[in-house]
Amino acid sequence: MFSYHCCESANLRPTAPSYSSTADDPSLYRYLRLAVNLLAFCLHRPIPLPENPRLTSQNVTVVIPSLQGDGGELWDTIRSILATEPYEIILVTVGAQEQLAKKVVKELSLTKVRIYSVSQPNKRRQMVRAIPEIQTDITIFADDDVTWPSTLLPWMLAPLEDEQYGGVGTNQRLRRAEGPNLQQRIWGYLGALYLERRNFDCASCMYIDGGLPCLSGRTVAYRTSILRDPAFTYEFTHEEWLGQYQLNADDDNFMTRWLISHGQKISYQHHKQAEVLTTLEDNPKFLKQCLRWSRSNWRSNITSMFCDRHIWTHQPWSTYAVYLTTVFHWAIVWDALLIYLYFDMARCWQDGARDVGLAVLAGWMFSSKFVKLLGHYIRYPGDSLLLPVSILFGYFHGFIKGYAMLSLNVTAWGSREGADDDDAYRMIRVNPKQQEAVCYMQ
């Protein structure tokens, strides 16, 4: 990192440090990524709306996989989607919830909503159940707890005017709780920063090489022709993890990898009029959400880097700035190492110089913790008081990430009622004879 001459005795004055090479600087990987992403985020612009669009809202079917057939949040979501005037909405629920949903649809006279169900809770199977029923060129999958702006569809359709694009994502923000207590405010703050950080990474990588970590299933558009491909349907419902398990979780990660591996471009529309609101846990269950997301990241990013391997050539910057962070980014380790190396370098400096250097280093490290989240603090300046909480949580998240790495065969949510009813189906051990047959065919 640095080369310096340490004093041999008290009579010798220490020389100033000199850079010998940045190749061995452990901070280079971390802060180069931050600096480049900051510039890219400022330069990123969404694909603009065409003057004479070929695609309209009537070319869109919205599919909502849900565990519920009723509930205020679900119908609030449906109402916000109906306000964008899609061709129709297909709600795919589970078992007896179908009749409950049909009853509500009839009572509310929602002529644009059709209801289907599957026997077991399984999001991938619910999505596949809807695909044969879709009559439009564009399909949008949406979670059952999102709120759409009325301006969303034109922005999502703009990239799809170009046939090279197969999928489009949007930026997301937290729907903040009304009148939260202190605990809800803190957990909600951490959730809001999670989404803010994700928006930043997606916009930055999209500008540089057209990549992003994942087209989030909260709201995402695809060409229906891609979904109808029998090869897609089979792989989507028969994905294997480590050759030992059939994986039925991580649907949005699979679909993003499918687009990349099949030469489809993806887009991310970071614009206020394409901003989807969503909910996250505002209680300790947020930790379980973080654990689930971390497991999903491990599984998908390992698959992308070492099995599919398309990202190395198609999205080199995204590979460096996003995918590799799964393996190498551990905040508590990096910061401790950086401070250790500073004191090792500065051990022979005069006290005043060492204190100034330490202050500069601390200021740099502190600013790097919040600079890419600056937009959130501008919108909610009061949240700046919680900045120390986010820094401490960043260190704690390293332990969540480590535990996730050691438990990748677990797919439980643990944060939503009924969400784990299908946990036994999310990761099924593959029959050994079936494995042998697959290996032989390969």
Side-chain angles (χ1 to χ4, degrees):
M1 181 175 179
F2 300 99
S3 64
Y4 57 89
H5 302 284
C6 193
C7 47
E8 296 294 333
S9 69
N11 295 325
L12 296 178
R13 295 176 59 85
T15 61
S18 61
Y19 288 93
S20 59
S21 170
T22 58
D24 58 346
D25 183 349
S27 64
L28 177 64
Y29 164 76
R30 187 181 191 183
Y31 295 120
L32 173 65
R33 179 187 52 156
L34 175 62
V36 174
N37 276 356
L38 278 171
L39 177 61
F41 181 79
C42 294
L43 295 175
H44 172 75
R45 297 293 183 272
I47 293 176
L49 302 181
E51 291 185 6
N52 299 300
R54 177 177 55 87
L55 298 171
T56 70
S57 63
Q58 291 305 295
N59 296 108
V60 175
T61 296
V62 182
V63 177
I64 306 176
S66 178
L67 297 173
Q68 304 175 21
D70 195 6
E73 191 171 62
L74 171 63
W75 295 108
D76 286 345
T77 294
I78 290 176
R79 277 188 282 266
S80 77
I81 294 174
L82 286 173
T84 66
E85 300 183 345
Y87 177 77
E88 69 175 344
I89 295 174
I90 297 177
L91 174 65
V92 186
T93 185
V94 181
Q97 294 293 322
E98 178 182 5
Q99 297 305 316
L100 182 60
K102 286 182 175 179
K103 179 181 177 182
V104 176
V105 166
K106 184 177 180 180
E107 290 175 352
L108 298 179
S109 300
L110 300 177
T111 57
K112 284 191 173 184
V113 180
R114 284 195 286 162
I115 311 295
Y116 297 96
S117 70
V118 295
S119 58
Q120 295 287 344
N122 185 316
K123 188 176 180 181
R124 293 201 193 199
R125 301 285 177 177
Q126 290 172 261
M127 295 164 76
V128 168
R129 173 64 185 88
I131 291 172
E133 311 298 334
I134 296 170
Q135 303 173 37
T136 57
D137 294 333
I138 306 300
T139 300
I140 297 182
F141 291 106
D143 280 355
D144 60 4
D145 60 349
V146 297
T147 302
W148 284 15
S150 60
T151 52
L152 177 66
L153 287 186
W155 287 97
M156 294 197 76
L157 293 174
L160 296 170
E161 295 283 336
D162 184 342
E163 293 291 338
Q164 298 181 77
Y165 284 89
V168 180
T170 69
N171 63 311
Q172 304 159 5
R173 299 208 190 281
L174 183 73
R175 186 165 63 231
R176 292 168 72 95
E178 298 181 3
N181 58 37
L182 179 60
Q183 179 184 208
Q184 289 176 317
R185 184 179 176 188
I186 291 175
W187 290 115
Y189 163 74
L190 293 175
L193 293 193
Y194 163 79
L195 295 174
E196 191 77 20
R197 195 175 293 109
R198 187 185 184 283
N199 292 337
F200 175 88
D201 289 339
C202 288
S204 301
C205 292
M206 183 57 56
Y207 176 80
I208 294 174
D209 63 9
L212 45 68
C214 174
L215 286 169
S216 170
R218 292 186 181 94
T219 294
V220 58
Y222 297 101
R223 292 193 186 280
T224 305
S225 58
I226 296 173
L227 307 177
R228 285 179 176 156
D229 181 353
F232 167 82
T233 301
Y234 180 82
E235 294 296 334
F236 186 57
T237 54
H238 292 82
E239 182 183 2
E240 288 190 9
W241 166 246
L242 298 178
Q244 300 180 26
Y245 302 94
Q246 179 179 314
L247 182 62
N248 289 311
D250 311 342
D251 52 277
D252 47 5
N253 285 296
F254 174 91
M255 298 173 84
T256 304
R257 295 196 307 270
W258 180 270
L259 294 181
I260 295 170
S261 64
H262 287 74
Q264 296 284 330
K265 294 175 71 174
I266 56 180
S267 180
Y268 174 76
Q269 294 291 74
H270 189 270
H271 192 278
K272 180 65 177 177
Q273 293 185 348
E275 184 175 281
V276 173
L277 299 182
T278 187
T279 60
L280 298 175
E281 294 292 344
D282 57 3
N283 53 62
K285 289 183 179 180
F286 177 72
L287 298 177
K288 295 183 178 180
Q289 285 186 314
C290 290
L291 182 59
R292 177 170 59 87
W293 295 330
S294 188
R295 286 178 179 135
S296 181
N297 286 339
W298 273 109
R299 286 190 294 259
S300 184
N301 291 354
I302 288 173
T303 301
S304 294
M305 290 188 289
F306 305 117
C307 297
D308 293 351
R309 299 190 295 276
H310 295 92
I311 58 171
W312 296 98
T313 53
H314 289 73
Q315 301 173 356
W317 177 260
S318 298
T319 302
Y320 166 77
V322 176
Y323 292 94
L324 285 174
T325 59
T326 301
V327 180
F328 295 110
H329 181 61
W330 305 82
I332 192 168
V333 175
W334 282 108
D335 285 359
L337 181 60
L338 197 58
I339 293 172
Y340 167 79
L341 290 174
Y342 172 79
F343 280 105
D344 183 62
M345 175 192 69
R347 65 178 183 270
C348 293
W349 292 9
Q350 294 179 349
D351 290 345
R354 186 166 58 246
D355 293 342
V356 170
L358 181 60
V360 171
L361 175 62
W364 170 261
M365 294 172 65
F366 178 78
S367 64
S368 71
K369 303 289 186 187
F370 75 88
V371 65
K372 67 181 183 180
L373 305 172
L374 194 57
H376 175 84
Y377 294 114
I378 292 174
R379 288 190 299 275
Y380 305 104
D383 281 1
S384 59
L385 298 174
L386 297 174
L387 181 57
V389 175
S390 72
I391 295 174
L392 293 175
F393 184 78
Y395 293 137
F396 176 73
H397 190 270
F399 295 99
I400 295 177
K401 180 179 171 181
Y403 180 69
M405 179 184 65
L406 299 175
S407 56
L408 294 181
N409 64 325
V410 178
T411 57
W413 281 48
S415 60
R416 184 175 181 180
E417 185 178 353
D420 289 328
D421 292 348
D422 67 331
D423 190 46
Y425 299 96
R426 292 201 192 109
M427 188 173 289
I428 305 169
R429 183 173 291 276
V430 178
N431 185 292
K433 291 184 179 180
Q434 182 180 343
Q435 279 184 246
E436 292 175 6
V438 171
C439 292
Y440 178 77
M441 291 174 65
Q442 293 175 339

